Amino acid sequence: MDADTLNELRLTLRRVFAAGADPSVVNKDLADLGWDDARHDDPAQTDVAFFEEQGRALAASDVLNTSLCEALGVDVGTGVTIPVRARSGDLAILLTDVIPEKLVVGDLRSAVFLTKSDIDPHDIGPHGIGLLDTTLGARRVVLRADASGRPVDGAAWSAALTAARRSLASELVGVGLEALALAITYVSQRTQFGRPIGSFQAVRHRLAEAHVHLTAAQELVGAAWNSGDADDACLAKAAAGRAADHTMRTAMQVFGAIGLTWEHKLHGYVRRAASLDALAGESGFLEERLGRRLVDGAITP
């Protein structure tokens, strides 16, 4: 995909996300655009652009679940759960509509095929999974005590987790880039001692550091999409999570008190970044996993 086409794609996605804050509207607009056909021409660049723009807009859609279904080789209408924090045991499903009849439920190691009847209906909702952002579309899923299902092929589930980490990493970068843009605009306009606070070296250096972190994460995300490697996806998501966290802390500091208010939109990016990082393995867990594999000789620097 050439640069002009990619830029036009991003502009189209921004119009979709701007016009449809409601996830159901976003899903409908994407369907009307023929999004599934468009992304198959160049899935790497297309998906990177999509999830970055979704992160910038703080939007939600069913596209991640569709990507997981494709990685698993199952019907697109299947619901696929994503682990929430490595050691919590919680599961979330990122679907904006009703829970489908067919499900793939798994943790960071394995997954099984189940049906909607295997889920406790009283425990489906946005609360109880410890995610700060309830606009993400994530809903808690708790299995019945007697639930049992057919195991999912290990390689297919690994591919699904890899796809999830690449997508979430791209979205984290988008969230970070937009928060950084908000901070830069603010420090360019806010004055102190008769000059914009963005002219002070301490502020400029912090924002420059955030830019470096995000740019590095963006490169790692691109490499992960191109290679398709599971370890590359872990590294990309870990780096994107750290970069987004660093950027949120920087933005909170330069905004000062106004950034702490509910009326200001910065809190939406802070909550979204923390929530995305918690899905499919948070940064610290993925870094530890990569470190163990490095020590064991499974991967090389």
PDB file of all heavy atoms in Angstrom, residues 1 9 30-43 46-47 66 70:
ATOM      1  N   MET A   1       0.840  -1.188   0.000  1.00  0.00           N
ATOM      2  CA  MET A   1       0.000   0.000   0.000  1.00  0.00           C
ATOM      3  C   MET A   1       0.882   1.248   0.000  1.00  0.00           C
ATOM      4  O   MET A   1       1.757   1.383   0.864  1.00  0.00           O
ATOM      5  CB  MET A   1      -0.914  -0.014   1.232  1.00  0.00           C
ATOM      6  CG  MET A   1      -1.900   1.132   1.275  1.00  0.00           C
ATOM      7  SD  MET A   1      -2.939   1.098   2.766  1.00  0.00           S
ATOM      8  CE  MET A   1      -3.802  -0.464   2.548  1.00  0.00           C
ATOM      9  N   LEU A   9      -6.792   6.085   3.827  1.00  0.00           N
ATOM     10  CA  LEU A   9      -7.419   5.093   4.704  1.00  0.00           C
ATOM     11  C   LEU A   9      -7.561   5.644   6.118  1.00  0.00           C
ATOM     12  O   LEU A   9      -8.618   5.517   6.756  1.00  0.00           O
ATOM     13  CB  LEU A   9      -6.593   3.812   4.709  1.00  0.00           C
ATOM     14  CG  LEU A   9      -7.022   2.721   5.699  1.00  0.00           C
ATOM     15  CD1 LEU A   9      -8.396   2.176   5.324  1.00  0.00           C
ATOM     16  CD2 LEU A   9      -5.998   1.590   5.742  1.00  0.00           C
ATOM     17  N   LEU A  30     -18.286   0.408   9.310  1.00  0.00           N
ATOM     18  CA  LEU A  30     -17.186  -0.403   8.772  1.00  0.00           C
ATOM     19  C   LEU A  30     -17.706  -1.438   7.785  1.00  0.00           C
ATOM     20  O   LEU A  30     -17.090  -1.686   6.738  1.00  0.00           O
ATOM     21  CB  LEU A  30     -16.438  -1.086   9.911  1.00  0.00           C
ATOM     22  CG  LEU A  30     -15.591  -0.187  10.810  1.00  0.00           C
ATOM     23  CD1 LEU A  30     -15.058  -0.980  12.004  1.00  0.00           C
ATOM     24  CD2 LEU A  30     -14.437   0.430  10.036  1.00  0.00           C
ATOM     25  N   ALA A  31     -18.847  -2.033   8.106  1.00  0.00           N
ATOM     26  CA  ALA A  31     -19.452  -3.006   7.198  1.00  0.00           C
ATOM     27  C   ALA A  31     -19.857  -2.341   5.889  1.00  0.00           C
ATOM     28  O   ALA A  31     -19.653  -2.894   4.798  1.00  0.00           O
ATOM     29  CB  ALA A  31     -20.656  -3.665   7.860  1.00  0.00           C
ATOM     30  N   ASP A  32     -20.432  -1.132   5.989  1.00  0.00           N
ATOM     31  CA  ASP A  32     -20.847  -0.405   4.778  1.00  0.00           C
ATOM     32  C   ASP A  32     -19.639  -0.040   3.913  1.00  0.00           C
ATOM     33  O   ASP A  32     -19.752   0.040   2.679  1.00  0.00           O
ATOM     34  CB  ASP A  32     -21.594   0.874   5.169  1.00  0.00           C
ATOM     35  CG  ASP A  32     -22.952   0.576   5.808  1.00  0.00           C
ATOM     36  OD1 ASP A  32     -23.434  -0.564   5.648  1.00  0.00           O
ATOM     37  OD2 ASP A  32     -23.501   1.469   6.473  1.00  0.00           O
ATOM     38  N   LEU A  33     -18.491   0.187   4.559  1.00  0.00           N
ATOM     39  CA  LEU A  33     -17.266   0.521   3.822  1.00  0.00           C
ATOM     40  C   LEU A  33     -16.625  -0.706   3.169  1.00  0.00           C
ATOM     41  O   LEU A  33     -15.716  -0.567   2.353  1.00  0.00           O
ATOM     42  CB  LEU A  33     -16.242   1.156   4.760  1.00  0.00           C
ATOM     43  CG  LEU A  33     -16.458   2.618   5.156  1.00  0.00           C
ATOM     44  CD1 LEU A  33     -15.480   3.002   6.259  1.00  0.00           C
ATOM     45  CD2 LEU A  33     -16.261   3.521   3.943  1.00  0.00           C
ATOM     46  N   GLY A  34     -17.095  -1.896   3.537  1.00  0.00           N
ATOM     47  CA  GLY A  34     -16.452  -3.106   3.043  1.00  0.00           C
ATOM     48  C   GLY A  34     -15.092  -3.322   3.681  1.00  0.00           C
ATOM     49  O   GLY A  34     -14.118  -3.689   3.013  1.00  0.00           O
ATOM     50  N   TRP A  35     -15.029  -3.074   5.001  1.00  0.00           N
ATOM     51  CA  TRP A  35     -13.746  -3.118   5.701  1.00  0.00           C
ATOM     52  C   TRP A  35     -13.067  -4.477   5.597  1.00  0.00           C
ATOM     53  O   TRP A  35     -11.853  -4.562   5.401  1.00  0.00           O
ATOM     54  CB  TRP A  35     -13.941  -2.742   7.165  1.00  0.00           C
ATOM     55  CG  TRP A  35     -12.677  -2.834   7.956  1.00  0.00           C
ATOM     56  CD1 TRP A  35     -12.335  -3.772   8.892  1.00  0.00           C
ATOM     57  CD2 TRP A  35     -11.534  -1.978   7.831  1.00  0.00           C
ATOM     58  NE1 TRP A  35     -11.070  -3.546   9.373  1.00  0.00           N
ATOM     59  CE2 TRP A  35     -10.560  -2.451   8.735  1.00  0.00           C
ATOM     60  CE3 TRP A  35     -11.254  -0.861   7.049  1.00  0.00           C
ATOM     61  CZ2 TRP A  35      -9.320  -1.835   8.870  1.00  0.00           C
ATOM     62  CZ3 TRP A  35     -10.022  -0.245   7.189  1.00  0.00           C
ATOM     63  CH2 TRP A  35      -9.074  -0.732   8.091  1.00  0.00           C
ATOM     64  N   ASP A  36     -13.838  -5.570   5.710  1.00  0.00           N
ATOM     65  CA  ASP A  36     -13.238  -6.906   5.670  1.00  0.00           C
ATOM     66  C   ASP A  36     -12.511  -7.141   4.351  1.00  0.00           C
ATOM     67  O   ASP A  36     -11.435  -7.759   4.317  1.00  0.00           O
ATOM     68  CB  ASP A  36     -14.312  -7.979   5.871  1.00  0.00           C
ATOM     69  CG  ASP A  36     -14.822  -8.003   7.301  1.00  0.00           C
ATOM     70  OD1 ASP A  36     -14.107  -7.486   8.186  1.00  0.00           O
ATOM     71  OD2 ASP A  36     -15.932  -8.508   7.530  1.00  0.00           O
ATOM     72  N   ASP A  37     -13.078  -6.659   3.247  1.00  0.00           N
ATOM     73  CA  ASP A  37     -12.422  -6.807   1.943  1.00  0.00           C
ATOM     74  C   ASP A  37     -11.186  -5.924   1.852  1.00  0.00           C
ATOM     75  O   ASP A  37     -10.147  -6.336   1.322  1.00  0.00           O
ATOM     76  CB  ASP A  37     -13.394  -6.451   0.812  1.00  0.00           C
ATOM     77  CG  ASP A  37     -14.543  -7.433   0.709  1.00  0.00           C
ATOM     78  OD1 ASP A  37     -14.344  -8.606   1.085  1.00  0.00           O
ATOM     79  OD2 ASP A  37     -15.635  -7.026   0.282  1.00  0.00           O
ATOM     80  N   ALA A  38     -11.272  -4.713   2.378  1.00  0.00           N
ATOM     81  CA  ALA A  38     -10.159  -3.766   2.288  1.00  0.00           C
ATOM     82  C   ALA A  38      -8.937  -4.270   3.041  1.00  0.00           C
ATOM     83  O   ALA A  38      -7.803  -4.156   2.567  1.00  0.00           O
ATOM     84  CB  ALA A  38     -10.588  -2.408   2.827  1.00  0.00           C
ATOM     85  N   ARG A  39      -9.145  -4.849   4.212  1.00  0.00           N
ATOM     86  CA  ARG A  39      -8.002  -5.244   5.039  1.00  0.00           C
ATOM     87  C   ARG A  39      -7.292  -6.477   4.507  1.00  0.00           C
ATOM     88  O   ARG A  39      -6.128  -6.706   4.826  1.00  0.00           O
ATOM     89  CB  ARG A  39      -8.409  -5.452   6.489  1.00  0.00           C
ATOM     90  CG  ARG A  39      -9.392  -6.559   6.729  1.00  0.00           C
ATOM     91  CD  ARG A  39      -9.793  -6.620   8.202  1.00  0.00           C
ATOM     92  NE  ARG A  39      -8.665  -6.991   9.028  1.00  0.00           N
ATOM     93  CZ  ARG A  39      -8.349  -8.264   9.289  1.00  0.00           C
ATOM     94  NH1 ARG A  39      -9.067  -9.246   8.765  1.00  0.00           N
ATOM     95  NH2 ARG A  39      -7.320  -8.552  10.052  1.00  0.00           N
ATOM     96  N   HIS A  40      -7.962  -7.273   3.687  1.00  0.00           N
ATOM     97  CA  HIS A  40      -7.314  -8.481   3.166  1.00  0.00           C
ATOM     98  C   HIS A  40      -6.288  -8.159   2.085  1.00  0.00           C
ATOM     99  O   HIS A  40      -5.435  -8.990   1.781  1.00  0.00           O
ATOM    100  CB  HIS A  40      -8.360  -9.464   2.637  1.00  0.00           C
ATOM    101  CG  HIS A  40      -9.047 -10.230   3.733  1.00  0.00           C
ATOM    102  ND1 HIS A  40      -8.376 -11.067   4.593  1.00  0.00           N
ATOM    103  CD2 HIS A  40     -10.338 -10.264   4.114  1.00  0.00           C
ATOM    104  CE1 HIS A  40      -9.221 -11.602   5.449  1.00  0.00           C
ATOM    105  NE2 HIS A  40     -10.428 -11.125   5.190  1.00  0.00           N
ATOM    106  N   ASP A  41      -6.340  -6.977   1.487  1.00  0.00           N
ATOM    107  CA  ASP A  41      -5.370  -6.608   0.462  1.00  0.00           C
ATOM    108  C   ASP A  41      -3.981  -6.383   1.060  1.00  0.00           C
ATOM    109  O   ASP A  41      -2.968  -6.706   0.448  1.00  0.00           O
ATOM    110  CB  ASP A  41      -5.838  -5.346  -0.278  1.00  0.00           C
ATOM    111  CG  ASP A  41      -7.105  -5.598  -1.073  1.00  0.00           C
ATOM    112  OD1 ASP A  41      -7.335  -6.758  -1.443  1.00  0.00           O
ATOM    113  OD2 ASP A  41      -7.855  -4.626  -1.312  1.00  0.00           O
ATOM    114  N   ASP A  42      -3.939  -5.810   2.251  1.00  0.00           N
ATOM    115  CA  ASP A  42      -2.667  -5.550   2.933  1.00  0.00           C
ATOM    116  C   ASP A  42      -2.948  -5.560   4.436  1.00  0.00           C
ATOM    117  O   ASP A  42      -3.014  -4.505   5.075  1.00  0.00           O
ATOM    118  CB  ASP A  42      -2.089  -4.203   2.500  1.00  0.00           C
ATOM    119  CG  ASP A  42      -0.648  -3.998   2.981  1.00  0.00           C
ATOM    120  OD1 ASP A  42      -0.221  -4.745   3.878  1.00  0.00           O
ATOM    121  OD2 ASP A  42       0.036  -3.108   2.454  1.00  0.00           O
ATOM    122  N   PRO A  43      -3.129  -6.747   5.020  1.00  0.00           N
ATOM    123  CA  PRO A  43      -3.589  -6.820   6.410  1.00  0.00           C
ATOM    124  C   PRO A  43      -2.666  -6.149   7.420  1.00  0.00           C
ATOM    125  O   PRO A  43      -3.140  -5.559   8.384  1.00  0.00           O
ATOM    126  CB  PRO A  43      -3.701  -8.333   6.678  1.00  0.00           C
ATOM    127  CG  PRO A  43      -2.900  -8.986   5.607  1.00  0.00           C
ATOM    128  CD  PRO A  43      -2.967  -8.085   4.428  1.00  0.00           C
ATOM    129  N   THR A  46      -2.963  -2.227   7.033  1.00  0.00           N
ATOM    130  CA  THR A  46      -4.355  -1.864   7.270  1.00  0.00           C
ATOM    131  C   THR A  46      -4.719  -2.003   8.737  1.00  0.00           C
ATOM    132  O   THR A  46      -5.348  -1.121   9.334  1.00  0.00           O
ATOM    133  CB  THR A  46      -5.291  -2.740   6.420  1.00  0.00           C
ATOM    134  OG1 THR A  46      -4.902  -2.673   5.051  1.00  0.00           O
ATOM    135  CG2 THR A  46      -6.732  -2.274   6.548  1.00  0.00           C
ATOM    136  N   ASP A  47      -4.323  -3.117   9.358  1.00  0.00           N
ATOM    137  CA  ASP A  47      -4.663  -3.339  10.763  1.00  0.00           C
ATOM    138  C   ASP A  47      -3.903  -2.383  11.679  1.00  0.00           C
ATOM    139  O   ASP A  47      -4.441  -1.922  12.687  1.00  0.00           O
ATOM    140  CB  ASP A  47      -4.383  -4.791  11.150  1.00  0.00           C
ATOM    141  CG  ASP A  47      -5.462  -5.731  10.634  1.00  0.00           C
ATOM    142  OD1 ASP A  47      -6.436  -5.248  10.040  1.00  0.00           O
ATOM    143  OD2 ASP A  47      -5.336  -6.959  10.833  1.00  0.00           O
ATOM    144  N   THR A  66     -12.913 -10.245  15.475  1.00  0.00           N
ATOM    145  CA  THR A  66     -12.864 -10.815  14.124  1.00  0.00           C
ATOM    146  C   THR A  66     -11.463 -11.304  13.781  1.00  0.00           C
ATOM    147  O   THR A  66     -11.289 -12.390  13.212  1.00  0.00           O
ATOM    148  CB  THR A  66     -13.320  -9.754  13.092  1.00  0.00           C
ATOM    149  OG1 THR A  66     -14.651  -9.350  13.390  1.00  0.00           O
ATOM    150  CG2 THR A  66     -13.257 -10.316  11.687  1.00  0.00           C
ATOM    151  N   GLU A  70     -10.197 -15.165  12.839  1.00  0.00           N
ATOM    152  CA  GLU A  70      -9.418 -15.499  11.647  1.00  0.00           C
ATOM    153  C   GLU A  70      -8.145 -16.253  12.015  1.00  0.00           C
ATOM    154  O   GLU A  70      -7.757 -17.213  11.338  1.00  0.00           O
ATOM    155  CB  GLU A  70      -9.077 -14.231  10.879  1.00  0.00           C
ATOM    156  CG  GLU A  70     -10.294 -13.569  10.252  1.00  0.00           C
ATOM    157  CD  GLU A  70      -9.961 -12.228   9.631  1.00  0.00           C
ATOM    158  OE1 GLU A  70      -8.815 -11.749   9.817  1.00  0.00           O
ATOM    159  OE2 GLU A  70     -10.844 -11.656   8.957  1.00  0.00           O
TER     160      GLU A  70
END
